[in-house]
Each structure stands twice: as C-alpha cells, then as structure tokens.
Amino acid sequence: AFSFSELADVYTLNFADFHFEPVRYFLELYPVFCLTASYPLIGITLRNNLKTLFSKGEYPWVIDRILFPLLTIIPPTIIGLCTEDVEFLVSYTGAFSGAAIQYIIPACFVLFGRIRVKEVFGREASTVKQEPQYLQVKHLAHLSSDLVCLLHDLHYILQNIFSYTRLIIKS
C-alpha cells in the first residue's frame, strides 16, 4: 500500500533514496524552507509589536534599524541554541499562553467592554437588564475569579514543569 518499504519517523527522510537528486533535496529540505519563509514574517511582526509597545513616535535610525531587530532575533536564537528538548519548550509556552487565552483575555473583554459601554452610553446602559442575575458581571468579580483559576492552574503547570525537570536531571 505504501511506496516505501519502511516509513521513517520524520517523513522527509523517506525521500533520502529518491533517484532524482534535485527533487530529493527539495523534499528533504522542505521543512527548512517552510521555517525560513515564516521566520522573517514572524520576526517583522514581533519587531512592529515591540515598536508599538514602546511607541514614542519616531525613533533614531540606530534604535529603529538595529536595536528592535536585535531584540527580535537574539532571544529566540539563544533559547533555540540552549534547548535540547523541544517538547518541554512547547508544553511550557503552550501552557502559559493557553492559560492566558482561557482565563485572562475573555475576562478582560468583558471588563473593558463594559467600561466602554458605560463611557459611550452612560451609567444606565452599564448593566444589561435582560441578563439573569447569575450572568451579570459585577465590578471586578469576573476578572478576579478568573485570576484565582489562573493562579491555581499556573501552580500545577509550574509543579509539573519542575517535576519534569527533576526527572531529566536525575536521568
């Protein structure tokens, strides 16, 4: 059923014995092409986000063209060179960003949305009369309850990470 007698774990290694050399190299290096194509796009986006974060109008040429690109390139390069266990790195970053997406961002949407509604429409529009009492978000209660859940989850995430690190160090 398969065109290969044995399938390699990394799919691109299946083409190591391909008879037409240019196609073989292209197929083997396809993941490298994808990464090298996306890295500049992600880097440019990160650089622009850093500029927006520290927005103070126009920057001098050195800061604009040297400092921000270095702040974009150096940290991921150092982390990539120091990390041997990619699964650990992915689970670590995924756990924290997942917790933020699950708890913090929805609560902030509700909180800032209600603040904006109050600014635009006045105090009488700040509470929705049609909502059942248990669905109404009063003050910072929603955000604080989500923060408690986040801290609880982060405790278990960090506990898991440190126990995993201890297992690696022992072995």
Side-chain angles (χ1 to χ4, degrees):
F2 296 108
S3 60
F4 305 106
S5 58
E6 290 184 25
L7 288 176
D9 288 338
V10 179
Y11 183 72
T12 56
L13 295 178
N14 291 320
F15 300 101
D17 297 331
F18 198 75
H19 61 279
F20 190 56
E21 198 165 321
V23 173
R24 182 186 77 193
Y25 282 129
F26 178 79
L27 292 173
E28 285 180 338
L29 293 173
Y30 185 74
V32 176
F33 296 147
C34 290
L35 286 175
T36 54
S38 64
Y39 191 78
L41 297 173
I42 294 169
I44 290 168
T45 304
L46 178 58
R47 183 197 66 196
N48 292 340
N49 288 340
L50 287 173
K51 284 182 184 179
T52 303
L53 182 65
F54 301 110
S55 66
K56 299 198 184 230
E58 291 292 319
Y59 292 102
W61 185 87
V62 173
I63 293 175
D64 190 44
R65 298 292 179 184
I66 304 293
L67 182 65
F68 281 118
L70 286 177
L71 286 174
T72 302
I73 293 171
I74 290 175
T77 304
I78 290 172
I79 291 170
L81 291 173
C82 296
T83 304
E84 291 181 18
D85 189 2
V86 178
E87 182 181 350
F88 171 73
L89 183 64
V90 169
S91 65
Y92 182 75
T93 57
F96 285 106
S97 61
I101 289 169
Q102 184 175 1
Y103 296 114
I104 300 299
I105 292 173
C108 288
F109 278 155
V110 169
L111 180 67
F112 295 130
R114 293 196 180 212
I115 290 171
R116 181 72 177 144
V117 165
K118 190 184 291 186
E119 289 172 357
V120 173
F121 298 109
R123 181 162 170 72
E124 64 278 352
S126 64
T127 58
V128 179
K129 303 277 190 268
Q130 291 82 9
E131 280 188 16
Q133 185 67 26
Y134 62 89
L135 287 180
Q136 291 183 8
V137 177
K138 301 285 186 183
H139 307 288
L140 297 175
H142 191 168
L143 188 59
S144 60
S145 67
D146 281 354
L147 185 62
V148 168
C149 291
L150 173 68
L151 292 174
H152 180 265
D153 285 356
L154 289 180
H155 165 35
Y156 284 108
I157 291 168
L158 290 172
Q159 186 179 10
N160 190 14
I161 287 170
F162 289 130
S163 65
Y164 180 77
T165 308
R166 278 190 228 118
L167 288 174
I168 291 174
I169 292 171
K170 286 180 182 177
S171 59

